[in-house]
mmCIF file with all atom_site columns, all heavy atoms in Angstrom:
data_model
loop_
_atom_site.group_PDB
_atom_site.id
_atom_site.type_symbol
_atom_site.label_atom_id
_atom_site.label_alt_id
_atom_site.label_comp_id
_atom_site.label_asym_id
_atom_site.label_entity_id
_atom_site.label_seq_id
_atom_site.pdbx_PDB_ins_code
_atom_site.Cartn_x
_atom_site.Cartn_y
_atom_site.Cartn_z
_atom_site.occupancy
_atom_site.B_iso_or_equiv
_atom_site.pdbx_formal_charge
_atom_site.auth_seq_id
_atom_site.auth_comp_id
_atom_site.auth_asym_id
_atom_site.auth_atom_id
_atom_site.pdbx_PDB_model_num
ATOM 1   N N   . ARG A 1 11  ? -0.563  198.597 41.410 1.00 91.00 ? 283 ARG A N   1
ATOM 2   C CA  . ARG A 1 11  ? -1.403  199.627 40.778 1.00 91.00 ? 283 ARG A CA  1
ATOM 3   C C   . ARG A 1 11  ? -1.119  200.991 41.406 1.00 91.00 ? 283 ARG A C   1
ATOM 4   O O   . ARG A 1 11  ? -1.063  202.003 40.713 1.00 91.00 ? 283 ARG A O   1
ATOM 5   C CB  . ARG A 1 11  ? -2.893  199.303 40.973 1.00 91.00 ? 283 ARG A CB  1
ATOM 6   C CG  . ARG A 1 11  ? -3.411  198.167 40.121 1.00 91.00 ? 283 ARG A CG  1
ATOM 7   C CD  . ARG A 1 11  ? -4.794  197.786 40.627 1.00 91.00 ? 283 ARG A CD  1
ATOM 8   N NE  . ARG A 1 11  ? -5.256  196.540 40.074 1.00 91.00 ? 283 ARG A NE  1
ATOM 9   C CZ  . ARG A 1 11  ? -6.244  196.438 39.185 1.00 91.00 ? 283 ARG A CZ  1
ATOM 10  N NH1 . ARG A 1 11  ? -6.852  197.502 38.742 1.00 91.00 ? 283 ARG A NH1 1
ATOM 11  N NH2 . ARG A 1 11  ? -6.628  195.267 38.742 1.00 91.00 ? 283 ARG A NH2 1
ATOM 12  N N   . LYS A 1 15  ? 0.267   204.307 39.685 1.00 89.00 ? 287 LYS A N   1
ATOM 13  C CA  . LYS A 1 15  ? -0.592  205.498 39.672 1.00 89.00 ? 287 LYS A CA  1
ATOM 14  C C   . LYS A 1 15  ? 0.193   206.743 40.084 1.00 89.00 ? 287 LYS A C   1
ATOM 15  O O   . LYS A 1 15  ? -0.079  207.846 39.621 1.00 89.00 ? 287 LYS A O   1
ATOM 16  C CB  . LYS A 1 15  ? -1.764  205.270 40.640 1.00 89.00 ? 287 LYS A CB  1
ATOM 17  C CG  . LYS A 1 15  ? -2.869  206.293 40.495 1.00 89.00 ? 287 LYS A CG  1
ATOM 18  C CD  . LYS A 1 15  ? -3.981  205.999 41.459 1.00 89.00 ? 287 LYS A CD  1
ATOM 19  C CE  . LYS A 1 15  ? -5.037  207.080 41.424 1.00 89.00 ? 287 LYS A CE  1
ATOM 20  N NZ  . LYS A 1 15  ? -6.047  206.865 42.460 1.00 89.00 ? 287 LYS A NZ  1
ATOM 21  N N   . ARG A 1 341 ? -13.557 201.282 51.244 1.00 91.00 ? 613 ARG A N   1
ATOM 22  C CA  . ARG A 1 341 ? -13.176 199.885 51.522 1.00 91.00 ? 613 ARG A CA  1
ATOM 23  C C   . ARG A 1 341 ? -13.608 199.478 52.931 1.00 91.00 ? 613 ARG A C   1
ATOM 24  O O   . ARG A 1 341 ? -14.079 198.373 53.155 1.00 91.00 ? 613 ARG A O   1
ATOM 25  C CB  . ARG A 1 341 ? -11.666 199.703 51.372 1.00 91.00 ? 613 ARG A CB  1
ATOM 26  C CG  . ARG A 1 341 ? -11.210 199.711 49.925 1.00 91.00 ? 613 ARG A CG  1
ATOM 27  C CD  . ARG A 1 341 ? -9.720  199.450 49.789 1.00 91.00 ? 613 ARG A CD  1
ATOM 28  N NE  . ARG A 1 341 ? -9.316  199.460 48.395 1.00 91.00 ? 613 ARG A NE  1
ATOM 29  C CZ  . ARG A 1 341 ? -9.381  198.410 47.583 1.00 91.00 ? 613 ARG A CZ  1
ATOM 30  N NH1 . ARG A 1 341 ? -9.832  197.259 48.041 1.00 91.00 ? 613 ARG A NH1 1
ATOM 31  N NH2 . ARG A 1 341 ? -9.013  198.509 46.316 1.00 91.00 ? 613 ARG A NH2 1
ATOM 32  N N   . ARG A 1 342 ? -13.413 200.415 53.884 1.00 89.00 ? 614 ARG A N   1
ATOM 33  C CA  . ARG A 1 342 ? -13.817 200.100 55.266 1.00 89.00 ? 614 ARG A CA  1
ATOM 34  C C   . ARG A 1 342 ? -15.332 199.914 55.336 1.00 89.00 ? 614 ARG A C   1
ATOM 35  O O   . ARG A 1 342 ? -15.831 199.026 56.004 1.00 89.00 ? 614 ARG A O   1
ATOM 36  C CB  . ARG A 1 342 ? -13.389 201.229 56.207 1.00 89.00 ? 614 ARG A CB  1
ATOM 37  C CG  . ARG A 1 342 ? -11.899 201.403 56.307 1.00 89.00 ? 614 ARG A CG  1
ATOM 38  C CD  . ARG A 1 342 ? -11.264 200.573 57.400 1.00 89.00 ? 614 ARG A CD  1
ATOM 39  N NE  . ARG A 1 342 ? -11.584 201.050 58.729 1.00 89.00 ? 614 ARG A NE  1
ATOM 40  C CZ  . ARG A 1 342 ? -12.185 200.334 59.662 1.00 89.00 ? 614 ARG A CZ  1
ATOM 41  N NH1 . ARG A 1 342 ? -12.534 199.096 59.415 1.00 89.00 ? 614 ARG A NH1 1
ATOM 42  N NH2 . ARG A 1 342 ? -12.426 200.827 60.853 1.00 89.00 ? 614 ARG A NH2 1
ATOM 43  N N   . ALA A 1 343 ? -16.083 200.806 54.614 1.00 88.00 ? 615 ALA A N   1
ATOM 44  C CA  . ALA A 1 343 ? -17.542 200.747 54.671 1.00 88.00 ? 615 ALA A CA  1
ATOM 45  C C   . ALA A 1 343 ? -18.057 199.427 54.111 1.00 88.00 ? 615 ALA A C   1
ATOM 46  O O   . ALA A 1 343 ? -19.046 198.880 54.609 1.00 88.00 ? 615 ALA A O   1
ATOM 47  C CB  . ALA A 1 343 ? -18.132 201.917 53.890 1.00 88.00 ? 615 ALA A CB  1
ATOM 48  N N   . ILE A 1 344 ? -17.383 198.896 53.094 1.00 87.00 ? 616 ILE A N   1
ATOM 49  C CA  . ILE A 1 344 ? -17.915 197.677 52.491 1.00 87.00 ? 616 ILE A CA  1
ATOM 50  C C   . ILE A 1 344 ? -17.274 196.409 53.057 1.00 87.00 ? 616 ILE A C   1
ATOM 51  O O   . ILE A 1 344 ? -17.376 195.350 52.466 1.00 87.00 ? 616 ILE A O   1
ATOM 52  C CB  . ILE A 1 344 ? -17.822 197.722 50.946 1.00 87.00 ? 616 ILE A CB  1
ATOM 53  C CG1 . ILE A 1 344 ? -16.371 197.883 50.490 1.00 87.00 ? 616 ILE A CG1 1
ATOM 54  C CG2 . ILE A 1 344 ? -18.688 198.821 50.388 1.00 87.00 ? 616 ILE A CG2 1
ATOM 55  C CD1 . ILE A 1 344 ? -16.225 197.989 48.985 1.00 87.00 ? 616 ILE A CD1 1
ATOM 56  N N   . SER A 1 347 ? -11.561 195.296 57.328 1.00 89.00 ? 619 SER A N   1
ATOM 57  C CA  . SER A 1 347 ? -11.229 195.613 58.719 1.00 89.00 ? 619 SER A CA  1
ATOM 58  C C   . SER A 1 347 ? -9.975  196.480 58.746 1.00 89.00 ? 619 SER A C   1
ATOM 59  O O   . SER A 1 347 ? -9.265  196.595 57.743 1.00 89.00 ? 619 SER A O   1
ATOM 60  C CB  . SER A 1 347 ? -10.984 194.322 59.497 1.00 89.00 ? 619 SER A CB  1
ATOM 61  O OG  . SER A 1 347 ? -9.840  193.677 58.977 1.00 89.00 ? 619 SER A OG  1
ATOM 62  N N   . GLN A 1 348 ? -9.698  197.046 59.900 1.00 90.00 ? 620 GLN A N   1
ATOM 63  C CA  . GLN A 1 348 ? -8.469  197.839 60.058 1.00 90.00 ? 620 GLN A CA  1
ATOM 64  C C   . GLN A 1 348 ? -7.243  196.980 59.766 1.00 90.00 ? 620 GLN A C   1
ATOM 65  O O   . GLN A 1 348 ? -6.295  197.425 59.125 1.00 90.00 ? 620 GLN A O   1
ATOM 66  C CB  . GLN A 1 348 ? -8.373  198.386 61.480 1.00 90.00 ? 620 GLN A CB  1
ATOM 67  C CG  . GLN A 1 348 ? -9.284  199.574 61.720 1.00 90.00 ? 620 GLN A CG  1
ATOM 68  C CD  . GLN A 1 348 ? -9.110  200.160 63.109 1.00 90.00 ? 620 GLN A CD  1
ATOM 69  O OE1 . GLN A 1 348 ? -8.716  199.468 64.024 1.00 90.00 ? 620 GLN A OE1 1
ATOM 70  N NE2 . GLN A 1 348 ? -9.436  201.428 63.256 1.00 90.00 ? 620 GLN A NE2 1
ATOM 71  N N   . SER A 1 427 ? -16.320 207.199 57.872 1.00 79.00 ? 699 SER A N   1
ATOM 72  C CA  . SER A 1 427 ? -17.520 207.981 57.581 1.00 79.00 ? 699 SER A CA  1
ATOM 73  C C   . SER A 1 427 ? -17.190 209.422 57.191 1.00 79.00 ? 699 SER A C   1
ATOM 74  O O   . SER A 1 427 ? -17.934 210.065 56.460 1.00 79.00 ? 699 SER A O   1
ATOM 75  C CB  . SER A 1 427 ? -18.468 207.972 58.781 1.00 79.00 ? 699 SER A CB  1
ATOM 76  O OG  . SER A 1 427 ? -17.830 208.544 59.896 1.00 79.00 ? 699 SER A OG  1
ATOM 77  N N   . LYS A 1 431 ? -18.887 210.905 52.704 1.00 64.00 ? 703 LYS A N   1
ATOM 78  C CA  . LYS A 1 431 ? -19.775 211.973 52.256 1.00 64.00 ? 703 LYS A CA  1
ATOM 79  C C   . LYS A 1 431 ? -19.007 212.966 51.386 1.00 64.00 ? 703 LYS A C   1
ATOM 80  O O   . LYS A 1 431 ? -19.568 213.587 50.496 1.00 64.00 ? 703 LYS A O   1
ATOM 81  C CB  . LYS A 1 431 ? -20.325 212.687 53.500 1.00 64.00 ? 703 LYS A CB  1
ATOM 82  C CG  . LYS A 1 431 ? -21.555 213.527 53.260 1.00 64.00 ? 703 LYS A CG  1
ATOM 83  C CD  . LYS A 1 431 ? -22.798 212.682 53.145 1.00 64.00 ? 703 LYS A CD  1
ATOM 84  C CE  . LYS A 1 431 ? -24.045 213.572 52.993 1.00 64.00 ? 703 LYS A CE  1
ATOM 85  N NZ  . LYS A 1 431 ? -25.245 212.770 52.733 1.00 64.00 ? 703 LYS A NZ  1
ATOM 86  N N   . GLN A 1 433 ? -16.568 212.461 49.253 1.00 47.00 ? 705 GLN A N   1
ATOM 87  C CA  . GLN A 1 433 ? -16.014 212.018 47.959 1.00 47.00 ? 705 GLN A CA  1
ATOM 88  C C   . GLN A 1 433 ? -16.722 212.667 46.790 1.00 47.00 ? 705 GLN A C   1
ATOM 89  O O   . GLN A 1 433 ? -17.915 212.774 46.778 1.00 47.00 ? 705 GLN A O   1
ATOM 90  C CB  . GLN A 1 433 ? -16.123 210.494 47.841 1.00 47.00 ? 705 GLN A CB  1
ATOM 91  C CG  . GLN A 1 433 ? -14.917 209.800 48.400 1.00 47.00 ? 705 GLN A CG  1
ATOM 92  C CD  . GLN A 1 433 ? -14.645 208.507 47.691 1.00 47.00 ? 705 GLN A CD  1
ATOM 93  O OE1 . GLN A 1 433 ? -14.007 208.488 46.655 1.00 47.00 ? 705 GLN A OE1 1
ATOM 94  N NE2 . GLN A 1 433 ? -15.121 207.438 48.269 1.00 47.00 ? 705 GLN A NE2 1
ATOM 95  N N   . GLU B 2 55  ? -19.718 204.281 62.656 1.00 87.00 ? 101 GLU B N   1
ATOM 96  C CA  . GLU B 2 55  ? -19.426 205.141 63.802 1.00 87.00 ? 101 GLU B CA  1
ATOM 97  C C   . GLU B 2 55  ? -19.992 204.504 65.051 1.00 87.00 ? 101 GLU B C   1
ATOM 98  O O   . GLU B 2 55  ? -21.014 203.807 64.985 1.00 87.00 ? 101 GLU B O   1
ATOM 99  C CB  . GLU B 2 55  ? -20.095 206.510 63.616 1.00 87.00 ? 101 GLU B CB  1
ATOM 100 C CG  . GLU B 2 55  ? -19.202 207.533 62.968 1.00 87.00 ? 101 GLU B CG  1
ATOM 101 C CD  . GLU B 2 55  ? -19.879 208.889 62.848 1.00 87.00 ? 101 GLU B CD  1
ATOM 102 O OE1 . GLU B 2 55  ? -20.554 209.292 63.821 1.00 87.00 ? 101 GLU B OE1 1
ATOM 103 O OE2 . GLU B 2 55  ? -19.725 209.516 61.803 1.00 87.00 ? 101 GLU B OE2 1
ATOM 104 N N   . ASP B 2 74  ? -13.287 196.133 66.108 1.00 84.00 ? 120 ASP B N   1
ATOM 105 C CA  . ASP B 2 74  ? -13.297 196.594 64.719 1.00 84.00 ? 120 ASP B CA  1
ATOM 106 C C   . ASP B 2 74  ? -13.428 195.419 63.755 1.00 84.00 ? 120 ASP B C   1
ATOM 107 O O   . ASP B 2 74  ? -14.157 195.492 62.776 1.00 84.00 ? 120 ASP B O   1
ATOM 108 C CB  . ASP B 2 74  ? -12.010 197.360 64.405 1.00 84.00 ? 120 ASP B CB  1
ATOM 109 C CG  . ASP B 2 74  ? -11.966 197.811 62.972 1.00 84.00 ? 120 ASP B CG  1
ATOM 110 O OD1 . ASP B 2 74  ? -12.643 198.811 62.657 1.00 84.00 ? 120 ASP B OD1 1
ATOM 111 O OD2 . ASP B 2 74  ? -11.316 197.151 62.144 1.00 84.00 ? 120 ASP B OD2 1
ATOM 112 N N   . ASN B 2 75  ? -12.749 194.345 64.028 1.00 85.00 ? 121 ASN B N   1
ATOM 113 C CA  . ASN B 2 75  ? -12.808 193.185 63.130 1.00 85.00 ? 121 ASN B CA  1
ATOM 114 C C   . ASN B 2 75  ? -14.221 192.622 63.044 1.00 85.00 ? 121 ASN B C   1
ATOM 115 O O   . ASN B 2 75  ? -14.693 192.261 61.972 1.00 85.00 ? 121 ASN B O   1
ATOM 116 C CB  . ASN B 2 75  ? -11.840 192.087 63.611 1.00 85.00 ? 121 ASN B CB  1
ATOM 117 C CG  . ASN B 2 75  ? -10.418 192.377 63.168 1.00 85.00 ? 121 ASN B CG  1
ATOM 118 O OD1 . ASN B 2 75  ? -10.169 193.249 62.341 1.00 85.00 ? 121 ASN B OD1 1
ATOM 119 N ND2 . ASN B 2 75  ? -9.475  191.655 63.747 1.00 85.00 ? 121 ASN B ND2 1
ATOM 120 N N   . ARG B 2 81  ? -20.499 194.349 58.763 1.00 88.00 ? 127 ARG B N   1
ATOM 121 C CA  . ARG B 2 81  ? -20.711 195.249 57.606 1.00 88.00 ? 127 ARG B CA  1
ATOM 122 C C   . ARG B 2 81  ? -20.600 194.471 56.304 1.00 88.00 ? 127 ARG B C   1
ATOM 123 O O   . ARG B 2 81  ? -21.390 194.632 55.398 1.00 88.00 ? 127 ARG B O   1
ATOM 124 C CB  . ARG B 2 81  ? -19.660 196.358 57.601 1.00 88.00 ? 127 ARG B CB  1
ATOM 125 C CG  . ARG B 2 81  ? -19.977 197.574 58.410 1.00 88.00 ? 127 ARG B CG  1
ATOM 126 C CD  . ARG B 2 81  ? -19.183 198.785 57.941 1.00 88.00 ? 127 ARG B CD  1
ATOM 127 N NE  . ARG B 2 81  ? -17.765 198.585 57.957 1.00 88.00 ? 127 ARG B NE  1
ATOM 128 C CZ  . ARG B 2 81  ? -16.983 198.762 59.027 1.00 88.00 ? 127 ARG B CZ  1
ATOM 129 N NH1 . ARG B 2 81  ? -17.523 199.112 60.180 1.00 88.00 ? 127 ARG B NH1 1
ATOM 130 N NH2 . ARG B 2 81  ? -15.691 198.569 58.952 1.00 88.00 ? 127 ARG B NH2 1
ATOM 131 N N   . PHE B 2 87  ? -23.875 199.187 51.303 1.00 88.00 ? 133 PHE B N   1
ATOM 132 C CA  . PHE B 2 87  ? -23.921 200.660 51.322 1.00 88.00 ? 133 PHE B CA  1
ATOM 133 C C   . PHE B 2 87  ? -24.085 201.199 49.907 1.00 88.00 ? 133 PHE B C   1
ATOM 134 O O   . PHE B 2 87  ? -23.435 200.725 48.973 1.00 88.00 ? 133 PHE B O   1
ATOM 135 C CB  . PHE B 2 87  ? -22.620 201.230 51.890 1.00 88.00 ? 133 PHE B CB  1
ATOM 136 C CG  . PHE B 2 87  ? -22.539 201.192 53.385 1.00 88.00 ? 133 PHE B CG  1
ATOM 137 C CD1 . PHE B 2 87  ? -21.877 200.163 54.029 1.00 88.00 ? 133 PHE B CD1 1
ATOM 138 C CD2 . PHE B 2 87  ? -23.124 202.198 54.158 1.00 88.00 ? 133 PHE B CD2 1
ATOM 139 C CE1 . PHE B 2 87  ? -21.796 200.115 55.405 1.00 88.00 ? 133 PHE B CE1 1
ATOM 140 C CE2 . PHE B 2 87  ? -23.040 202.159 55.540 1.00 88.00 ? 133 PHE B CE2 1
ATOM 141 C CZ  . PHE B 2 87  ? -22.374 201.118 56.173 1.00 88.00 ? 133 PHE B CZ  1
ATOM 142 N N   . ASN B 2 93  ? -19.081 206.531 45.074 1.00 87.00 ? 139 ASN B N   1
ATOM 143 C CA  . ASN B 2 93  ? -17.902 206.000 45.777 1.00 87.00 ? 139 ASN B CA  1
ATOM 144 C C   . ASN B 2 93  ? -17.352 204.712 45.176 1.00 87.00 ? 139 ASN B C   1
ATOM 145 O O   . ASN B 2 93  ? -17.002 203.777 45.899 1.00 87.00 ? 139 ASN B O   1
ATOM 146 C CB  . ASN B 2 93  ? -18.216 205.770 47.267 1.00 87.00 ? 139 ASN B CB  1
ATOM 147 C CG  . ASN B 2 93  ? -18.298 207.080 48.022 1.00 87.00 ? 139 ASN B CG  1
ATOM 148 O OD1 . ASN B 2 93  ? -18.136 208.141 47.429 1.00 87.00 ? 139 ASN B OD1 1
ATOM 149 N ND2 . ASN B 2 93  ? -18.552 207.010 49.309 1.00 87.00 ? 139 ASN B ND2 1
ATOM 150 N N   . ASP B 2 97  ? -9.704  203.372 39.996 1.00 89.00 ? 143 ASP B N   1
ATOM 151 C CA  . ASP B 2 97  ? -8.675  202.591 39.289 1.00 89.00 ? 143 ASP B CA  1
ATOM 152 C C   . ASP B 2 97  ? -9.126  201.171 38.962 1.00 89.00 ? 143 ASP B C   1
ATOM 153 O O   . ASP B 2 97  ? -8.434  200.456 38.245 1.00 89.00 ? 143 ASP B O   1
ATOM 154 C CB  . ASP B 2 97  ? -7.406  202.465 40.153 1.00 89.00 ? 143 ASP B CB  1
ATOM 155 C CG  . ASP B 2 97  ? -6.940  203.811 40.657 1.00 89.00 ? 143 ASP B CG  1
ATOM 156 O OD1 . ASP B 2 97  ? -7.114  204.778 39.924 1.00 89.00 ? 143 ASP B OD1 1
ATOM 157 O OD2 . ASP B 2 97  ? -6.437  203.874 41.793 1.00 89.00 ? 143 ASP B OD2 1
ATOM 158 N N   . GLU B 2 102 ? -14.061 194.527 39.136 1.00 93.00 ? 148 GLU B N   1
ATOM 159 C CA  . GLU B 2 102 ? -13.157 194.599 40.294 1.00 93.00 ? 148 GLU B CA  1
ATOM 160 C C   . GLU B 2 102 ? -13.789 195.400 41.428 1.00 93.00 ? 148 GLU B C   1
ATOM 161 O O   . GLU B 2 102 ? -13.602 195.084 42.607 1.00 93.00 ? 148 GLU B O   1
ATOM 162 C CB  . GLU B 2 102 ? -11.817 195.229 39.882 1.00 93.00 ? 148 GLU B CB  1
ATOM 163 C CG  . GLU B 2 102 ? -10.976 194.311 39.004 1.00 93.00 ? 148 GLU B CG  1
ATOM 164 C CD  . GLU B 2 102 ? -9.833  195.029 38.306 1.00 93.00 ? 148 GLU B CD  1
ATOM 165 O OE1 . GLU B 2 102 ? -9.905  196.277 38.154 1.00 93.00 ? 148 GLU B OE1 1
ATOM 166 O OE2 . GLU B 2 102 ? -8.906  194.350 37.882 1.00 93.00 ? 148 GLU B OE2 1
ATOM 167 N N   . TYR B 2 110 ? -12.761 190.754 50.682 1.00 90.00 ? 156 TYR B N   1
ATOM 168 C CA  . TYR B 2 110 ? -12.584 190.857 52.128 1.00 90.00 ? 156 TYR B CA  1
ATOM 169 C C   . TYR B 2 110 ? -13.325 189.734 52.867 1.00 90.00 ? 156 TYR B C   1
ATOM 170 O O   . TYR B 2 110 ? -12.997 189.421 53.997 1.00 90.00 ? 156 TYR B O   1
ATOM 171 C CB  . TYR B 2 110 ? -13.048 192.228 52.624 1.00 90.00 ? 156 TYR B CB  1
ATOM 172 C CG  . TYR B 2 110 ? -12.150 193.344 52.141 1.00 90.00 ? 156 TYR B CG  1
ATOM 173 C CD1 . TYR B 2 110 ? -12.659 194.421 51.420 1.00 90.00 ? 156 TYR B CD1 1
ATOM 174 C CD2 . TYR B 2 110 ? -10.787 193.313 52.383 1.00 90.00 ? 156 TYR B CD2 1
ATOM 175 C CE1 . TYR B 2 110 ? -11.829 195.440 50.967 1.00 90.00 ? 156 TYR B CE1 1
ATOM 176 C CE2 . TYR B 2 110 ? -9.944  194.312 51.925 1.00 90.00 ? 156 TYR B CE2 1
ATOM 177 C CZ  . TYR B 2 110 ? -10.473 195.371 51.223 1.00 90.00 ? 156 TYR B CZ  1
ATOM 178 O OH  . TYR B 2 110 ? -9.642  196.359 50.765 1.00 90.00 ? 156 TYR B OH  1
ATOM 179 N N   . ASP B 2 166 ? -27.527 206.386 51.198 1.00 88.00 ? 212 ASP B N   1
ATOM 180 C CA  . ASP B 2 166 ? -27.453 207.796 51.611 1.00 88.00 ? 212 ASP B CA  1
ATOM 181 C C   . ASP B 2 166 ? -27.616 208.670 50.380 1.00 88.00 ? 212 ASP B C   1
ATOM 182 O O   . ASP B 2 166 ? -26.694 208.796 49.585 1.00 88.00 ? 212 ASP B O   1
ATOM 183 C CB  . ASP B 2 166 ? -26.100 208.049 52.289 1.00 88.00 ? 212 ASP B CB  1
ATOM 184 C CG  . ASP B 2 166 ? -26.059 209.396 53.000 1.00 88.00 ? 212 ASP B CG  1
ATOM 185 O OD1 . ASP B 2 166 ? -27.090 210.115 52.973 1.00 88.00 ? 212 ASP B OD1 1
ATOM 186 O OD2 . ASP B 2 166 ? -25.000 209.717 53.574 1.00 88.00 ? 212 ASP B OD2 1
#
Side-chain angles (χ1 to χ4, degrees):
Chain A
R283 286 169 192 250
K287 192 179 175 186
R613 286 183 180 275
R614 296 270 289 121
I616 59 182
S619 65
Q620 283 184 334
S699 61
K703 198 77 176 174
Q705 271 210 84
Chain B
E101 267 182 42
D120 178 78
N121 279 348
R127 274 202 303 275
F133 281 97
N139 286 1
D143 309 326
E148 289 165 338
Y156 292 124
D212 192 1

